[in-house]
């Protein structure tokens, strides 16, 4: 868990906060720009004092409409004191920015998950998670740190196979692509099933991060992280790396790493 820089502002209502945010962004008056919008709001006890807190996600919408926003900012309002903590995100622009509050650290206090779609054909996501227990802001998940750790090699192999491997995690998966058909396979393979030349694919950066309950007897969550596996082009999806992440007291660790493949048409032999 990592300590975070934060700005403490003694504010009350969301309207008071938005006025301050206009000034922080360099606007002399909030009437000059009315594009800073409340993107999402959730309520839960996030500091552990048994009082419900208000969690806001604000952003600037350049055109005033649509799902895109930049300058996306997290605001945590203490339900008891109304004191507000502002968190400026490193990567703070994208689509459909949203909040999820739940206990991921298994300490019976809700944590804060922020999810933002980057847009574009890659289907990448921007994700941050924070703990605010005892009014102490700490980073639990950072998408850039995750992408740095979870890297994979994707290689086409003889006889219509693709290997997905990670020496760091000592794991290798094999995907059968024989279902792709002759038009696709003939680009890379000779008629005897041997590769014409070395061919590489890619595992893309994190695209989805889902809260998931793996133990119905507990009130806590794990995370399911998904990365898309592609062939030689972005449109050629071969499957997904699925990583079940569990909090171990200091950080999220992989408790199950697997590959999910796409289904093909069922051909009846009868």
């Amino acid at each position: 868990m990592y300590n975070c820089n934060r700005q403490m502002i003694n504010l009350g209502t969301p309207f008071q906060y938005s006025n301050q945010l206009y000034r922080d962004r360099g606007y002399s008056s909030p009437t000059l720009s009315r594009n800073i919008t409340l993107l999402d709001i959730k309520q839960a006890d996030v500091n552990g004092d048994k009082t419900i807190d208000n969690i806001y996600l604000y952003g600037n919408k350049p055109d005033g409409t649509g799902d895109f926003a930049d300058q996306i900012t997290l605001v945590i309002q203490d339900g008891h004191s109304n004191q507000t903590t502002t968190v400026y995100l490193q990567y703070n622009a994208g689509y459909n920015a949203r909040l999820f509050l739940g206990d991921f650290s298994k300490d019976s206090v809700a944590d804060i998950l922020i999810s933002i779609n980057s847009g574009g054909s890659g289907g990448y996501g921007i994700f941050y998670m924070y703990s605010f227990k005892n009014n102490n802001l700490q980073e639990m998940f950072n998408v850039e740190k995750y992408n740095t750790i979870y890297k994979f090699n994707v290689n086409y192999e003889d006889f219509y196979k693709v290997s997905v491997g990670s020496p760091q995690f000592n794991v290798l998966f094999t995907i059968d692509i024989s279902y792709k058909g002759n038009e696709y396979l003939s680009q890379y393979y000779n008629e005897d099933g041997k590769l014409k030349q070395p061919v590489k694919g890619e595992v893309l950066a994190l695209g989805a991060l889902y809260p998931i309950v793996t133990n119905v007897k507990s009130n806590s969550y794990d995370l399911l992280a998904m990365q898309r596996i592609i062939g030689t082009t972005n449109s050629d999806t071969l499957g997904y790396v699925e990583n079940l992440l569990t909090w171990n007291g200091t950080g999220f660790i992989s408790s199950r790493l697997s590959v999910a493949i796409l289904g093909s048409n069922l051909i009846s032999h009868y």
Side-chain angles (χ1 to χ4, degrees):
M1 199 180 287
Y2 302 91
N3 291 325
C4 303
N5 294 325
R6 64 185 187 276
Q7 178 181 358
M8 303 296 293
I9 307 174
N10 292 316
L11 298 171
T13 66
F15 177 75
Q16 290 172 308
Y17 170 74
S18 63
N19 285 355
Q20 181 65 46
L21 186 58
Y22 286 125
R23 291 188 286 271
D24 291 345
R25 298 303 191 192
Y27 303 121
S28 59
S29 168
T31 59
L32 297 180
S33 175
R34 297 186 178 276
N35 292 335
I36 293 183
T37 304
L38 180 62
L39 304 175
D40 199 4
I41 178 174
K42 293 289 189 295
Q43 293 181 310
D45 176 18
V46 296
N47 62 5
D49 67 356
K50 308 302 181 183
T51 302
I52 296 298
D53 306 303
N54 299 312
I55 315 301
Y56 305 105
L57 205 58
Y58 284 92
N60 174 64
K61 290 195 172 184
D63 59 3
T65 60
D67 293 331
F68 178 81
D70 57 19
Q71 301 179 16
I72 297 171
T73 307
L74 171 67
V75 180
I76 306 168
Q77 183 185 45
D78 187 293
H80 179 72
S81 67
N82 280 342
Q83 180 171 273
T84 305
T85 299
T86 304
V87 184
Y88 297 108
L89 308 178
Q90 181 181 4
Y91 297 96
N92 59 12
Y95 297 84
N96 192 28
R98 56 207 180 274
L99 293 164
F100 181 89
L101 306 182
D103 178 17
F104 293 87
S105 56
K106 300 173 176 58
D107 59 3
S108 300
V109 177
D111 305 301
I112 304 166
L113 173 62
I114 301 167
S115 302
I116 306 168
N117 300 334
S118 67
S121 59
Y124 304 118
I126 302 169
F127 306 97
Y128 297 100
M129 185 185 292
Y130 299 98
S131 166
F132 198 61
K133 188 176 182 180
N134 299 322
N135 296 315
N136 179 29
L137 183 72
Q138 293 193 328
E139 182 181 87
M140 297 175 61
F141 186 92
N142 180 302
V143 65
E144 284 302 305
K145 293 175 182 176
Y146 181 90
N147 287 332
T148 299
I149 295 172
Y150 290 96
K151 292 182 177 296
F152 300 87
N153 301 317
V154 179
N155 296 292
Y156 283 61
E157 308 288 353
D158 290 339
F159 307 115
Y160 318 119
K161 302 292 193 298
V162 174
S163 65
V164 181
S166 170
Q168 177 182 353
F169 297 102
N170 191 29
V171 65
L172 177 67
F173 304 98
T174 302
I175 301 175
D176 186 338
I177 59 169
S178 59
Y179 70 92
K180 285 283 193 175
N182 184 67
E183 182 177 354
Y184 177 93
L185 297 174
S186 62
Q187 300 176 81
Y188 312 117
Y189 292 93
N190 294 313
E191 291 185 0
D192 62 359
K194 296 292 188 69
L195 279 169
K196 296 178 179 179
Q197 61 187 13
V199 181
K200 289 186 174 295
E202 186 179 357
V203 172
L204 301 182
L206 188 61
L209 190 67
Y210 299 114
I212 183 171
V213 176
T214 56
N215 183 355
V216 295
K217 295 183 179 179
S218 73
N219 293 318
S220 62
Y221 293 87
D222 292 327
L223 287 171
L224 181 62
M226 298 184 65
Q227 296 169 264
R228 191 159 61 95
I229 307 166
I230 64 170
T232 58
T233 64
N234 182 58
S235 61
D236 183 17
T237 300
L238 303 179
Y240 296 86
V241 173
E242 295 187 347
N243 192 4
L244 181 62
L245 301 169
T246 301
W247 187 258
N248 72 348
T250 58
F252 283 103
I253 61 170
S254 177
S255 59
R256 188 184 71 218
L257 193 61
S258 60
V259 162
I261 62 173
L262 304 177
S264 58
N265 291 332
L266 178 64
I267 302 176
S268 175
H269 297 285
Y270 303 99

